[in-house]
């Protein structure tokens, strides 16, 4: 079943960001921590659950499996879904101008 769109979980978003360069599981956990500036530390259970689901949805694919570890890469569909989510998040931030306006008026 292909990805049907809609808001992504935080874990999905960061996995796709980290897969802008092909990575295997251990590297991915470090890349996610780095990309999120240490805010998100993803454990193996969460990571492999997300990877399995995203692979089924066609957002990522297996680039290499040397028997010891699997290297994943983002697909074109994954890049498009990531861009849609980025645009959605950016719009949410832009729409929050009322918070700044309210703070300025206090």
């Amino acid at each position: 079943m292909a990805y049907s769109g809609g808001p992504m979980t935080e874990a999905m978003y960061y996995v796709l960001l980290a897969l802008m360069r092909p990575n295997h599981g251990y590297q991915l956990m470090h890349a996610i921590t780095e990309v999120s500036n240490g805010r998100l530390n993803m454990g193996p259970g969460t990571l492999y659950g997300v990877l399995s689901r995203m692979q089924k949805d066609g957002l990522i694919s297996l680039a290499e499996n040397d028997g010891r570890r699997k290297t994943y890469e983002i697909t074109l569909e994954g890049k498009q879904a990531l861009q849609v989510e980025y645009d959605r998040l950016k719009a949410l931030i832009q729409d929050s101008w009322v918070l700044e306006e309210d703070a300025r008026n206090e």
Side-chain angles (χ1 to χ4, degrees):
M1 179 179 191
Y3 177 67
S4 60
M8 287 183 186
T9 65
E10 188 175 29
M12 289 175 67
Y13 185 74
Y14 278 102
V15 166
L16 288 178
L17 280 177
L19 283 176
M20 292 304 290
R21 283 177 278 172
N23 263 322
H24 60 77
Y26 184 74
Q27 288 176 321
L28 268 174
M29 287 189 279
H30 282 275
I32 289 166
T33 300
E34 185 178 317
V35 168
S36 69
N37 293 311
R39 195 176 54 75
L40 184 63
N41 291 302
M42 194 176 296
T46 301
L47 176 66
Y48 288 106
V50 170
L51 287 173
S52 175
R53 189 173 56 241
M54 293 176 84
Q55 195 174 4
K56 287 178 188 168
D57 288 345
L59 299 175
I60 65 171
S61 63
L62 192 60
E64 186 180 333
N65 183 357
D66 68 4
R68 279 188 359 179
R69 60 185 173 199
K70 296 177 180 176
T71 300
Y72 298 90
E73 64 186 1
I74 191 169
T75 63
L76 179 59
E77 187 175 356
K79 287 180 182 175
Q80 291 169 342
L82 183 60
Q83 184 65 50
V84 167
E85 182 65 5
Y86 172 76
D87 292 341
R88 186 185 77 80
L89 294 171
K90 195 171 159 185
L92 288 175
I93 296 298
Q94 289 172 343
D95 293 347
S96 300
W97 64 269
V98 292
L99 291 174
E100 292 180 12
E101 187 81 13
D102 189 49
R104 271 188 237 133
N105 292 329
E106 287 183 355

